[in-house]
Amino acid sequence: MSNTTENRDILLEVRNLKKYFKRSDGYLHAVDDVSFTLERGKTLGIVGESGCGKSTTGRAILRLTEPTSGEVLFEGIDVTKLNKEEMRKMRTEMQIIFQDPFASLDPRQTVSQAIEEPLRLNGIIKDKKERFARVMELMETVGLAERLVNTYPHELDGGRRQRIGIARALAMNPKFIICDEPVSALDVSIQAQILNLMKKIQRDMGLTYIFVTHDLSVINHFADEIAVMYLGRMVEKAPTEELFNNPLHPYTKALLSAIPVPSIHRKRERITLQGEVGSPINPKPQCRFAGRCPNATEACFASEPPLVEVSKDHFVACHLCK
Amino acid sequence: MEEKKITSENEEMLNIKNLVVHYETDEALVKAINGIDLVIKHGKAHGLVGETGAGKTTTALSILNLVPDPPGRIVSGEITLDGEKLIAELPLTNEEREKLEAEGKLPPCAPAKTEREFEHIRGDKVAMIFQDPMTALNPVMTVGDQIAESIRLHQGLDRAAAAERAKEMLELVGIPGIRANEYPHQFSGGMKQRVIISMALACNPRLLIADEPTTALDVTIQAQVLDLMRELRDKFDMALLMITHDLGIIAEMCDEVSVMYAGRIVEHGTLEDIFDNTSHPYTQGLFNSIPNIEDRKSDLKPIRGLMPDPANLPAGCAFCPRCDYATERCAVEKPEKIWLSDTHCVECHLYQQGDTAKKL
């Protein structure tokens, strides 16, 4: 990949990231040898279905779960080698927004306490009054009305709770945020409000996002580049437009064709995949999609295809796309 | 498979008239459904769209008389299934009726069947698929026994014959019959939903109610399940009430659509009416909120504000506080149902009787 990354302002580079979980019946390969780079100010969407390792990838980058091996270079510094105290400092630059705004907030904290907490714990603003002023500023940024300052999460709807999650992530003035399915639990009309807010914040603050989701129509709207994961592997990565117009990996094609389109005029050819996702435990050295792939050949069962660049910025891991 | 004859002369499978359902708690009176009409013809697929709290699931539960009581109560309305009354208005003398009307009250209603009769209808003539396949199955019973249970109950087959039928049903939904002896935890999410579908179809229902049947599933698995449902619907020629928040699924599966908001059906029509001649501002808002996969440059235009609290609905149109077209009249007066064509109706003050659809 290195030849294409010159002259770009790279914020994050992930090299051969692996995360295996030990199980009684072997190792579960949640993330298996994932590498990519991310430019400052851009959004990388990571898509895939349940269990493909997209959330684990995000967590391993922040070391919320320790990677088994691999490097995560953030502005040139390998965060996997930092000690506890250095990592703590580093985390002020790298934040995360979680999927479930119902579970990720402490029910006994008011809105202002929840937003204040990261500022207090990291000793960013020591003065109580100043800290409160910052909380109010953050609430305004994310569109939470001032009157909600002393309310508790149970009094608020999902959209507002997710706004608290966003305010908490923004509190440290981070450079980089991992958004882990931030709108999946919300109704469509509220979902659109939150997506617009996140886009605005990104523009205003020059943030870099990794956007983890299973929803391709959301990611299409949000990301500059998209990486598709399947059973722990990155199977395709391309600029958003390229991926939607010219998907190469058979799994990406099936995934795109499976989205129900809210229109009665475009009837698209659907590729319905047979069978189900295989087991991520001790996977065989073959293409992990081969068992469901409509085009699989002998070669696909013989070895695992590497991720290669087939055209500019378009990477595919498939024996059939050369 | 024994064919159930269509028992009524008319072509309506389901007719809901002026249904009102409230949840009465100590703190509040929650008006979940505020007078809806809904007709599904034999063999047709009807979509019910709306957001959390719009009253979609309560509508479904009302049909089966499964609204949890207390706190839920079907206050008024009539539900007719294939010509038979399930929920009927209580007979009133003209005097009583006038008195109620003068007080602005609705005629009360009651179940027209006994609980035992409802038990015969549920799972036999009407079946329901619930949203979450993980919780709808009994974890300590094999899936075969769970499917056979309703076959034995409704069709009076003996244990062995019912078990045989259960295997056939599993194979119908693409699961090897041999897996009938396995327990739910041995199946993946998509497989569990297939088990539930096979259970729902085991007695060849005339109406299938599917409440967000694929929301908990991954998109490629969702595609498999939707394909299966469509195929089985054609095969058994059953009517379908599809409850979803996903307009994409509606476009794929349904013949007609009703859009629900705060316990009312605010717009109803054929697919063409709703998708091409979107007439209600809320329906338009829903479309604008969905990221358009064909046009990624377009901005999302969310509906501002939130769904009103069903315990404290606005006096006029429930959508008024969020509506870009709202006038003073909308705040005080509830809009009536206006037919824009033979198939398309809307509840909105933007229209008057005699108007035709205008794309907003």
Side-chain angles (χ1 to χ4, degrees), chain A residues 49-50 157 160 187 189-190 192-193 196 217 220-221 223 240-241 244 258-260 265-266 270 272-273 275-276 292, chain B residues 51-52 188 191 218-220 222 224 227 248 252 272 275-276 289 291-294 296 298 300 302-303 305-306 322:
Chain A
E49 300 181 276
S50 328
D157 63 278
R160 289 210 178 101
D187 271 320
S189 73
I190 307 301
Q193 292 176 1
N196 281 355
S217 34
N220 173 37
H221 209 81
T240 305
E241 214 129 308
F244 274 85
I259 311 167
H265 300 296
R266 269 179 295 270
R270 165 165 295 166
T272 304
L273 292 176
E276 313 229 348
R292 292 174 86 191
Chain B
E51 297 179 89
T52 316
S188 67
M191 298 269 252
D218 277 320
V219 35
T220 60
Q222 164 173 295
Q224 290 177 3
D227 281 351
E252 269 187 31
E272 288 75 22
F275 283 76
D276 289 351
S289 299
N292 185 346
I293 203 141
E294 312 275 340
R296 63 180 297 248
S298 69
L300 295 183
I303 307 171
L306 303 168
R322 305 175 75 184

Tab-separated table of all heavy atoms in Angstrom, chain A residues 49-50 157 160 187 189-190 192-193 196 217 220-221 223 240-241 244 258-260 265-266 270 272-273 275-276 292, chain B residues 51-52 188 191 218-220 222 224 227 248 252 272 275-276 289 291-294 296 298 300 302-303 305-306 322:
chain	number	residue	atom	x	y	z
A	49	GLU	N	-21.432	-7.831	8.302
A	49	GLU	CA	-22.556	-8.341	9.060
A	49	GLU	C	-22.122	-8.749	10.458
A	49	GLU	O	-20.938	-8.740	10.765
A	49	GLU	CB	-23.178	-9.506	8.296
A	49	GLU	CG	-23.669	-9.055	6.940
A	49	GLU	CD	-24.310	-10.174	6.162
A	49	GLU	OE1	-23.598	-10.935	5.508
A	49	GLU	OE2	-25.534	-10.288	6.237
A	50	SER	N	-23.095	-9.123	11.292
A	50	SER	CA	-22.784	-9.523	12.669
A	50	SER	C	-21.628	-10.512	12.692
A	50	SER	O	-21.628	-11.478	11.940
A	50	SER	CB	-23.978	-10.213	13.314
A	50	SER	OG	-25.168	-9.711	12.847
A	157	ASP	N	-35.086	10.794	25.189
A	157	ASP	CA	-35.274	9.809	24.126
A	157	ASP	C	-33.909	9.401	23.560
A	157	ASP	O	-32.880	9.999	23.877
A	157	ASP	CB	-36.146	10.425	23.036
A	157	ASP	CG	-35.459	11.603	22.403
A	157	ASP	OD1	-35.517	12.715	22.979
A	157	ASP	OD2	-34.824	11.425	21.360
A	160	ARG	N	-31.601	12.093	21.885
A	160	ARG	CA	-30.935	13.005	22.814
A	160	ARG	C	-29.825	12.295	23.565
A	160	ARG	O	-28.774	12.860	23.832
A	160	ARG	CB	-31.956	13.576	23.808
A	160	ARG	CG	-32.905	14.566	23.158
A	160	ARG	CD	-33.351	15.594	24.186
A	160	ARG	NE	-34.231	16.595	23.595
A	160	ARG	CZ	-35.546	16.575	23.730
A	160	ARG	NH1	-36.132	15.622	24.419
A	160	ARG	NH2	-36.278	17.517	23.179
A	187	ASP	N	-34.784	5.751	15.383
A	187	ASP	CA	-35.767	5.830	14.304
A	187	ASP	C	-35.223	6.657	13.141
A	187	ASP	O	-34.402	7.542	13.343
A	187	ASP	CB	-37.035	6.516	14.820
A	187	ASP	CG	-37.997	5.507	15.403
A	187	ASP	OD1	-38.128	4.426	14.826
A	187	ASP	OD2	-38.629	5.821	16.422
A	189	SER	N	-36.220	9.191	11.350
A	189	SER	CA	-36.246	10.656	11.350
A	189	SER	C	-35.208	11.203	12.332
A	189	SER	O	-34.596	12.239	12.102
A	189	SER	CB	-37.650	11.187	11.659
A	189	SER	OG	-37.981	11.004	13.003
A	190	ILE	N	-34.985	10.486	13.439
A	190	ILE	CA	-33.991	10.897	14.430
A	190	ILE	C	-32.587	10.565	13.917
A	190	ILE	O	-31.636	11.330	14.084
A	190	ILE	CB	-34.240	10.161	15.768
A	190	ILE	CG1	-35.697	10.339	16.219
A	190	ILE	CG2	-33.286	10.631	16.839
A	190	ILE	CD1	-36.124	11.765	16.422
A	192	ALA	N	-31.505	10.647	10.918
A	192	ALA	CA	-31.052	11.678	9.990
A	192	ALA	C	-30.559	12.912	10.747
A	192	ALA	O	-29.568	13.536	10.361
A	192	ALA	CB	-32.182	12.054	9.034
A	193	GLN	N	-31.236	13.258	11.836
A	193	GLN	CA	-30.794	14.407	12.644
A	193	GLN	C	-29.375	14.171	13.174
A	193	GLN	O	-28.519	15.048	13.106
A	193	GLN	CB	-31.723	14.615	13.852
A	193	GLN	CG	-33.126	15.080	13.502
A	193	GLN	CD	-34.024	15.162	14.741
A	193	GLN	OE1	-33.609	14.886	15.865
A	193	GLN	NE2	-35.276	15.550	14.534
A	196	ASN	N	-26.654	14.210	10.375
A	196	ASN	CA	-26.345	15.577	9.961
A	196	ASN	C	-25.479	16.288	10.997
A	196	ASN	O	-24.545	17.010	10.652
A	196	ASN	CB	-27.635	16.375	9.723
A	196	ASN	CG	-28.253	16.057	8.374
A	196	ASN	OD1	-27.683	15.312	7.580
A	196	ASN	ND2	-29.418	16.617	8.112
A	217	SER	N	-26.720	1.986	3.347
A	217	SER	CA	-27.219	3.259	2.827
A	217	SER	C	-26.734	4.414	3.695
A	217	SER	O	-26.510	5.515	3.213
A	217	SER	CB	-28.740	3.255	2.671
A	217	SER	OG	-29.362	2.497	3.646
A	220	ASN	N	-22.962	4.922	2.803
A	220	ASN	CA	-22.849	5.510	1.477
A	220	ASN	C	-22.931	7.018	1.579
A	220	ASN	O	-22.286	7.763	0.858
A	220	ASN	CB	-23.996	4.962	0.623
A	220	ASN	CG	-24.086	5.617	-0.725
A	220	ASN	OD1	-23.079	5.934	-1.328
A	220	ASN	ND2	-25.292	5.825	-1.180
A	221	HIS	N	-23.712	7.469	2.519
A	221	HIS	CA	-23.938	8.885	2.687
A	221	HIS	C	-22.807	9.564	3.441
A	221	HIS	O	-22.605	10.746	3.343
A	221	HIS	CB	-25.226	9.051	3.486
A	221	HIS	CG	-25.925	10.304	3.174
A	221	HIS	ND1	-26.724	10.431	2.074
A	221	HIS	CD2	-25.923	11.504	3.785
A	221	HIS	CE1	-27.186	11.652	2.041
A	221	HIS	NE2	-26.719	12.324	3.053
A	223	ALA	N	-19.368	8.135	4.298
A	223	ALA	CA	-17.936	7.817	4.246
A	223	ALA	C	-17.283	8.280	2.953
A	223	ALA	O	-17.921	8.389	1.913
A	223	ALA	CB	-17.753	6.314	4.413
A	240	THR	N	-15.814	5.475	-1.743
A	240	THR	CA	-17.234	5.134	-1.672
A	240	THR	C	-17.888	4.998	-3.042
A	240	THR	O	-18.552	4.006	-3.335
A	240	THR	CB	-17.975	6.198	-0.842
A	240	THR	OG1	-17.328	6.277	0.420
A	240	THR	CG2	-19.422	5.819	-0.633
A	241	GLU	N	-17.677	6.018	-3.877
A	241	GLU	CA	-18.331	6.000	-5.183
A	241	GLU	C	-17.902	4.783	-6.001
A	241	GLU	O	-18.716	4.087	-6.598
A	241	GLU	CB	-17.963	7.269	-5.955
A	241	GLU	CG	-19.091	7.751	-6.815
A	241	GLU	CD	-19.361	9.224	-6.551
A	241	GLU	OE1	-19.530	9.604	-5.386
A	241	GLU	OE2	-19.360	9.974	-7.519
A	244	PHE	N	-19.495	1.530	-4.718
A	244	PHE	CA	-20.906	1.355	-5.068
A	244	PHE	C	-21.108	1.161	-6.570
A	244	PHE	O	-21.990	0.439	-6.990
A	244	PHE	CB	-21.737	2.548	-4.572
A	244	PHE	CG	-22.180	2.374	-3.147
A	244	PHE	CD1	-21.345	2.727	-2.105
A	244	PHE	CD2	-23.425	1.841	-2.853
A	244	PHE	CE1	-21.740	2.553	-0.784
A	244	PHE	CE2	-23.827	1.660	-1.542
A	244	PHE	CZ	-22.985	2.020	-0.508
A	258	ALA	N	-28.499	-6.759	-1.794
A	258	ALA	CA	-29.484	-7.202	-0.796
A	258	ALA	C	-30.218	-6.045	-0.125
A	258	ALA	O	-31.217	-6.258	0.542
A	258	ALA	CB	-28.792	-8.051	0.270
A	259	ILE	N	-29.727	-4.817	-0.315
A	259	ILE	CA	-30.363	-3.689	0.375
A	259	ILE	C	-31.727	-3.407	-0.239
A	259	ILE	O	-31.825	-3.191	-1.441
A	259	ILE	CB	-29.525	-2.399	0.228
A	259	ILE	CG1	-28.078	-2.673	0.574
A	259	ILE	CG2	-30.092	-1.280	1.070
A	259	ILE	CD1	-27.165	-1.549	0.142
A	260	PRO	N	-32.797	-3.395	0.560
A	260	PRO	CA	-34.091	-3.022	-0.008
A	260	PRO	C	-34.086	-1.523	-0.345
A	260	PRO	O	-33.754	-0.702	0.496
A	260	PRO	CB	-35.085	-3.302	1.126
A	260	PRO	CG	-34.333	-4.052	2.166
A	260	PRO	CD	-32.890	-3.709	1.987
A	265	HIS	N	-39.468	1.886	-8.758
A	265	HIS	CA	-39.124	1.876	-10.181
A	265	HIS	C	-37.844	1.128	-10.502
A	265	HIS	O	-37.676	0.595	-11.572
A	265	HIS	CB	-39.039	3.298	-10.715
A	265	HIS	CG	-40.336	4.021	-10.561
A	265	HIS	ND1	-41.477	3.625	-11.207
A	265	HIS	CD2	-40.687	5.067	-9.778
A	265	HIS	CE1	-42.479	4.416	-10.854
A	265	HIS	NE2	-42.026	5.292	-9.992
A	266	ARG	N	-36.918	1.125	-9.530
A	266	ARG	CA	-35.666	0.447	-9.794
A	266	ARG	C	-35.729	-0.967	-9.253
A	266	ARG	O	-35.628	-1.199	-8.063
A	266	ARG	CB	-34.515	1.201	-9.148
A	266	ARG	CG	-33.894	2.222	-10.061
A	266	ARG	CD	-32.787	2.924	-9.344
A	266	ARG	NE	-33.327	3.686	-8.220
A	266	ARG	CZ	-33.718	4.938	-8.317
A	266	ARG	NH1	-33.650	5.563	-9.452
A	266	ARG	NH2	-34.182	5.574	-7.272
A	270	ARG	N	-31.142	-9.187	-7.888
A	270	ARG	CA	-30.652	-9.521	-6.562
A	270	ARG	C	-29.839	-10.797	-6.588
A	270	ARG	O	-30.228	-11.787	-7.166
A	270	ARG	CB	-31.810	-9.686	-5.586
A	270	ARG	CG	-31.368	-10.384	-4.312
A	270	ARG	CD	-32.337	-10.267	-3.212
A	270	ARG	NE	-32.474	-8.879	-2.797
A	270	ARG	CZ	-33.462	-8.464	-2.030
A	270	ARG	NH1	-34.405	-9.284	-1.664
A	270	ARG	NH2	-33.529	-7.210	-1.666
A	272	THR	N	-28.969	-13.520	-4.229
A	272	THR	CA	-29.271	-14.036	-2.902
A	272	THR	C	-28.239	-15.094	-2.551
A	272	THR	O	-28.072	-16.074	-3.269
A	272	THR	CB	-30.683	-14.628	-2.849
A	272	THR	OG1	-31.596	-13.619	-3.271
A	272	THR	CG2	-31.038	-15.047	-1.442
A	273	LEU	N	-27.539	-14.853	-1.453
A	273	LEU	CA	-26.514	-15.797	-1.033
A	273	LEU	C	-27.159	-17.017	-0.419
A	273	LEU	O	-28.135	-16.906	0.302
A	273	LEU	CB	-25.595	-15.151	-0.003
A	273	LEU	CG	-24.707	-14.038	-0.512
A	273	LEU	CD1	-23.946	-13.440	0.648
A	273	LEU	CD2	-23.744	-14.573	-1.550
A	275	GLY	N	-26.901	-20.247	2.169
A	275	GLY	CA	-26.190	-20.616	3.381
A	275	GLY	C	-25.904	-19.445	4.297
A	275	GLY	O	-26.404	-18.343	4.095
A	276	GLU	N	-25.093	-19.705	5.297
A	276	GLU	CA	-24.831	-18.721	6.320
A	276	GLU	C	-23.336	-18.530	6.508
A	276	GLU	O	-22.534	-19.320	6.013
A	276	GLU	CB	-25.452	-19.182	7.636
A	276	GLU	CG	-26.869	-19.655	7.446
A	276	GLU	CD	-27.818	-19.047	8.420
A	276	GLU	OE1	-27.346	-18.434	9.390
A	276	GLU	OE2	-29.023	-19.182	8.219
A	292	ARG	N	-19.905	-19.765	0.429
A	292	ARG	CA	-21.169	-19.148	0.021
A	292	ARG	C	-21.057	-18.493	-1.342
A	292	ARG	O	-22.032	-17.954	-1.856
A	292	ARG	CB	-21.572	-18.063	1.022
A	292	ARG	CG	-21.955	-18.565	2.378
A	292	ARG	CD	-22.195	-17.389	3.307
A	292	ARG	NE	-23.556	-16.869	3.233
A	292	ARG	CZ	-23.932	-15.715	3.786
A	292	ARG	NH1	-23.058	-14.956	4.408
A	292	ARG	NH2	-25.186	-15.308	3.697
B	51	GLU	N	-42.825	4.992	12.893
B	51	GLU	CA	-41.683	4.922	13.793
B	51	GLU	C	-42.104	4.326	15.133
B	51	GLU	O	-43.276	4.076	15.378
B	51	GLU	CB	-41.107	6.326	13.982
B	51	GLU	CG	-40.582	6.900	12.682
B	51	GLU	CD	-40.050	8.298	12.883
B	51	GLU	OE1	-38.871	8.418	13.195
B	51	GLU	OE2	-40.809	9.258	12.741
B	52	THR	N	-41.127	4.151	16.004
B	52	THR	CA	-41.379	3.633	17.344
B	52	THR	C	-42.528	4.400	17.999
B	52	THR	O	-42.524	5.621	18.001
B	52	THR	CB	-40.114	3.816	18.214
B	52	THR	OG1	-39.000	3.435	17.434
B	52	THR	CG2	-40.182	2.988	19.467
B	188	SER	N	-28.794	-20.353	14.068
B	188	SER	CA	-28.394	-18.948	13.970
B	188	SER	C	-29.637	-18.068	13.902
B	188	SER	O	-30.751	-18.572	13.776
B	188	SER	CB	-27.554	-18.749	12.713
B	188	SER	OG	-28.372	-18.951	11.582
B	191	MET	N	-31.823	-18.624	10.852
B	191	MET	CA	-32.473	-19.931	10.913
B	191	MET	C	-33.633	-19.900	11.905
B	191	MET	O	-34.686	-20.487	11.657
B	191	MET	CB	-31.469	-20.986	11.377
B	191	MET	CG	-30.312	-21.146	10.460
B	191	MET	SD	-30.661	-22.392	9.244
B	191	MET	CE	-29.609	-23.690	9.795
B	218	ASP	N	-29.215	-9.749	9.677
B	218	ASP	CA	-28.262	-9.114	8.764
B	218	ASP	C	-28.862	-8.999	7.370
B	218	ASP	O	-29.742	-9.761	7.000
B	218	ASP	CB	-26.993	-9.961	8.681
B	218	ASP	CG	-26.065	-9.658	9.830
B	218	ASP	OD1	-25.945	-8.477	10.174
B	218	ASP	OD2	-25.476	-10.597	10.371
B	219	VAL	N	-28.309	-8.073	6.585
B	219	VAL	CA	-28.952	-7.745	5.315
B	219	VAL	C	-28.979	-8.902	4.305
B	219	VAL	O	-29.984	-9.103	3.629
B	219	VAL	CB	-28.442	-6.406	4.724
B	219	VAL	CG1	-27.022	-6.170	4.993
B	219	VAL	CG2	-28.725	-6.268	3.279
B	220	THR	N	-27.917	-9.710	4.238
B	220	THR	CA	-27.985	-10.821	3.274
B	220	THR	C	-28.965	-11.897	3.749
B	220	THR	O	-29.625	-12.544	2.948
B	220	THR	CB	-26.602	-11.474	3.021
B	220	THR	OG1	-26.100	-11.980	4.256
B	220	THR	CG2	-25.623	-10.498	2.441
B	222	GLN	N	-31.570	-11.140	5.682
B	222	GLN	CA	-32.863	-10.485	5.485
B	222	GLN	C	-33.373	-10.738	4.071
B	222	GLN	O	-34.540	-11.055	3.859
B	222	GLN	CB	-32.717	-8.979	5.717
B	222	GLN	CG	-33.885	-8.163	5.185
B	222	GLN	CD	-33.780	-6.703	5.583
B	222	GLN	OE1	-33.838	-6.358	6.748
B	222	GLN	NE2	-33.634	-5.835	4.614
B	224	GLN	N	-32.690	-13.261	2.163
B	224	GLN	CA	-33.155	-14.655	2.075
B	224	GLN	C	-34.548	-14.805	2.668
B	224	GLN	O	-35.425	-15.443	2.083
B	224	GLN	CB	-32.213	-15.587	2.856
B	224	GLN	CG	-30.838	-15.775	2.250
B	224	GLN	CD	-29.957	-16.657	3.144
B	224	GLN	OE1	-30.390	-17.156	4.171
B	224	GLN	NE2	-28.711	-16.836	2.750
B	227	ASP	N	-37.258	-13.133	0.516
B	227	ASP	CA	-37.510	-13.965	-0.670
B	227	ASP	C	-38.412	-15.139	-0.305
B	227	ASP	O	-39.376	-15.450	-1.004
B	227	ASP	CB	-36.192	-14.514	-1.244
B	227	ASP	CG	-35.453	-13.478	-2.067
B	227	ASP	OD1	-36.056	-12.407	-2.317
B	227	ASP	OD2	-34.304	-13.712	-2.440
B	248	GLY	N	-37.964	0.487	2.187
B	248	GLY	CA	-37.384	-0.391	1.174
B	248	GLY	C	-38.071	-1.754	1.172
B	248	GLY	O	-38.347	-2.323	0.120
B	252	GLU	N	-40.614	-3.647	-1.715
B	252	GLU	CA	-40.392	-4.989	-2.243
B	252	GLU	C	-41.537	-5.946	-2.013
B	252	GLU	O	-41.773	-6.855	-2.799
B	252	GLU	CB	-39.153	-5.592	-1.578
B	252	GLU	CG	-37.908	-5.317	-2.342
B	252	GLU	CD	-36.739	-6.065	-1.762
B	252	GLU	OE1	-36.922	-7.156	-1.220
B	252	GLU	OE2	-35.642	-5.516	-1.856
B	272	GLU	N	-47.796	2.925	-5.707
B	272	GLU	CA	-47.612	4.085	-6.586
B	272	GLU	C	-48.070	5.361	-5.891
B	272	GLU	O	-47.406	6.389	-5.966
B	272	GLU	CB	-48.377	3.920	-7.908
B	272	GLU	CG	-47.802	2.896	-8.868
B	272	GLU	CD	-48.081	1.454	-8.443
B	272	GLU	OE1	-49.042	1.243	-7.664
B	272	GLU	OE2	-47.335	0.559	-8.855
B	275	PHE	N	-45.364	6.109	-3.028
B	275	PHE	CA	-43.985	6.367	-3.452
B	275	PHE	C	-43.892	7.462	-4.517
B	275	PHE	O	-42.936	8.216	-4.545
B	275	PHE	CB	-43.315	5.083	-3.954
B	275	PHE	CG	-42.894	4.169	-2.839
B	275	PHE	CD1	-43.823	3.403	-2.162
B	275	PHE	CD2	-41.568	4.093	-2.443
B	275	PHE	CE1	-43.449	2.563	-1.119
B	275	PHE	CE2	-41.179	3.260	-1.397
B	275	PHE	CZ	-42.122	2.493	-0.750
B	276	ASP	N	-44.883	7.538	-5.395
B	276	ASP	CA	-44.796	8.517	-6.483
B	276	ASP	C	-45.612	9.772	-6.238
B	276	ASP	O	-45.331	10.825	-6.790
B	276	ASP	CB	-45.244	7.879	-7.809
B	276	ASP	CG	-44.219	6.881	-8.314
B	276	ASP	OD1	-43.128	6.832	-7.718
B	276	ASP	OD2	-44.510	6.158	-9.268
B	289	SER	N	-35.702	11.471	5.129
B	289	SER	CA	-34.790	11.093	6.202
B	289	SER	C	-33.921	9.900	5.839
B	289	SER	O	-32.909	9.648	6.465
B	289	SER	CB	-35.574	10.721	7.468
B	289	SER	OG	-36.319	11.808	7.920
B	291	PRO	N	-31.244	7.859	3.967
B	291	PRO	CA	-30.126	8.109	3.061
B	291	PRO	C	-30.421	7.434	1.721
B	291	PRO	O	-30.785	6.263	1.688
B	291	PRO	CB	-28.948	7.429	3.756
B	291	PRO	CG	-29.378	7.201	5.167
B	291	PRO	CD	-30.854	7.075	5.133
B	292	ASN	N	-30.320	8.176	0.670
B	292	ASN	CA	-30.630	7.621	-0.646
B	292	ASN	C	-29.400	6.950	-1.224
B	292	ASN	O	-28.395	7.590	-1.503
B	292	ASN	CB	-31.097	8.761	-1.571
B	292	ASN	CG	-31.547	8.227	-2.910
B	292	ASN	OD1	-31.285	7.065	-3.247
B	292	ASN	ND2	-32.225	9.056	-3.666
B	293	ILE	N	-29.531	5.652	-1.425
B	293	ILE	CA	-28.355	4.894	-1.856
B	293	ILE	C	-27.974	5.213	-3.298
B	293	ILE	O	-26.854	5.012	-3.726
B	293	ILE	CB	-28.593	3.393	-1.639
B	293	ILE	CG1	-27.262	2.665	-1.527
B	293	ILE	CG2	-29.471	2.791	-2.712
B	293	ILE	CD1	-27.250	1.584	-0.520
B	294	GLU	N	-28.912	5.746	-4.043
B	294	GLU	CA	-28.641	6.055	-5.448
B	294	GLU	C	-28.018	7.447	-5.596
B	294	GLU	O	-27.462	7.774	-6.627
B	294	GLU	CB	-29.940	6.019	-6.274
B	294	GLU	CG	-30.799	4.790	-6.035
B	294	GLU	CD	-30.377	3.611	-6.888
B	294	GLU	OE1	-29.708	3.856	-7.902
B	294	GLU	OE2	-30.701	2.474	-6.538
B	296	ARG	N	-25.758	9.840	-3.301
B	296	ARG	CA	-25.120	10.062	-2.021
B	296	ARG	C	-24.819	11.525	-1.751
B	296	ARG	O	-24.497	11.917	-0.634
B	296	ARG	CB	-23.850	9.224	-1.903
B	296	ARG	CG	-22.764	9.546	-2.910
B	296	ARG	CD	-21.593	8.626	-2.659
B	296	ARG	NE	-21.042	8.871	-1.342
B	296	ARG	CZ	-19.840	9.405	-1.141
B	296	ARG	NH1	-19.099	9.757	-2.145
B	296	ARG	NH2	-19.388	9.581	0.068
B	298	SER	N	-26.983	13.957	-2.036
B	298	SER	CA	-28.152	14.674	-1.522
B	298	SER	C	-28.071	14.763	0.002
B	298	SER	O	-27.628	13.833	0.667
B	298	SER	CB	-29.432	13.957	-1.933
B	298	SER	OG	-29.538	12.732	-1.251
B	300	LEU	N	-29.428	14.861	3.836
B	300	LEU	CA	-30.554	14.313	4.585
B	300	LEU	C	-31.365	15.485	5.114
B	300	LEU	O	-30.825	16.422	5.676
B	300	LEU	CB	-30.042	13.489	5.762
B	300	LEU	CG	-29.258	12.235	5.438
B	300	LEU	CD1	-28.906	11.529	6.723
B	300	LEU	CD2	-30.072	11.330	4.555
B	302	PRO	N	-33.874	15.767	7.799
B	302	PRO	CA	-34.620	15.087	8.850
B	302	PRO	C	-35.895	15.848	9.217
B	302	PRO	O	-36.017	17.040	8.933
B	302	PRO	CB	-33.651	15.056	10.020
B	302	PRO	CG	-32.628	16.086	9.745
B	302	PRO	CD	-32.629	16.365	8.286
B	303	ILE	N	-36.838	15.122	9.820
B	303	ILE	CA	-38.012	15.783	10.376
B	303	ILE	C	-37.554	16.390	11.694
B	303	ILE	O	-36.972	15.707	12.515
B	303	ILE	CB	-39.124	14.753	10.639
B	303	ILE	CG1	-39.395	13.946	9.380
B	303	ILE	CG2	-40.367	15.439	11.153
B	303	ILE	CD1	-40.313	12.771	9.597
B	305	GLY	N	-37.667	17.933	15.496
B	305	GLY	CA	-38.431	17.604	16.692
B	305	GLY	C	-38.640	16.119	16.870
B	305	GLY	O	-37.991	15.297	16.242
B	306	LEU	N	-39.563	15.770	17.758
B	306	LEU	CA	-39.776	14.388	18.154
B	306	LEU	C	-41.248	14.028	18.024
B	306	LEU	O	-42.117	14.884	17.974
B	306	LEU	CB	-39.376	14.197	19.618
B	306	LEU	CG	-37.948	14.575	20.000
B	306	LEU	CD1	-37.822	14.594	21.501
B	306	LEU	CD2	-36.973	13.605	19.389
B	322	ARG	N	-44.237	19.444	14.117
B	322	ARG	CA	-43.028	19.114	13.358
B	322	ARG	C	-43.179	19.448	11.875
B	322	ARG	O	-42.265	19.203	11.093
B	322	ARG	CB	-42.729	17.615	13.487
B	322	ARG	CG	-42.623	17.131	14.897
B	322	ARG	CD	-42.439	15.619	14.950
B	322	ARG	NE	-41.084	15.225	14.584
B	322	ARG	CZ	-40.696	13.960	14.484
B	322	ARG	NH1	-41.543	12.982	14.695
B	322	ARG	NH2	-39.464	13.669	14.157
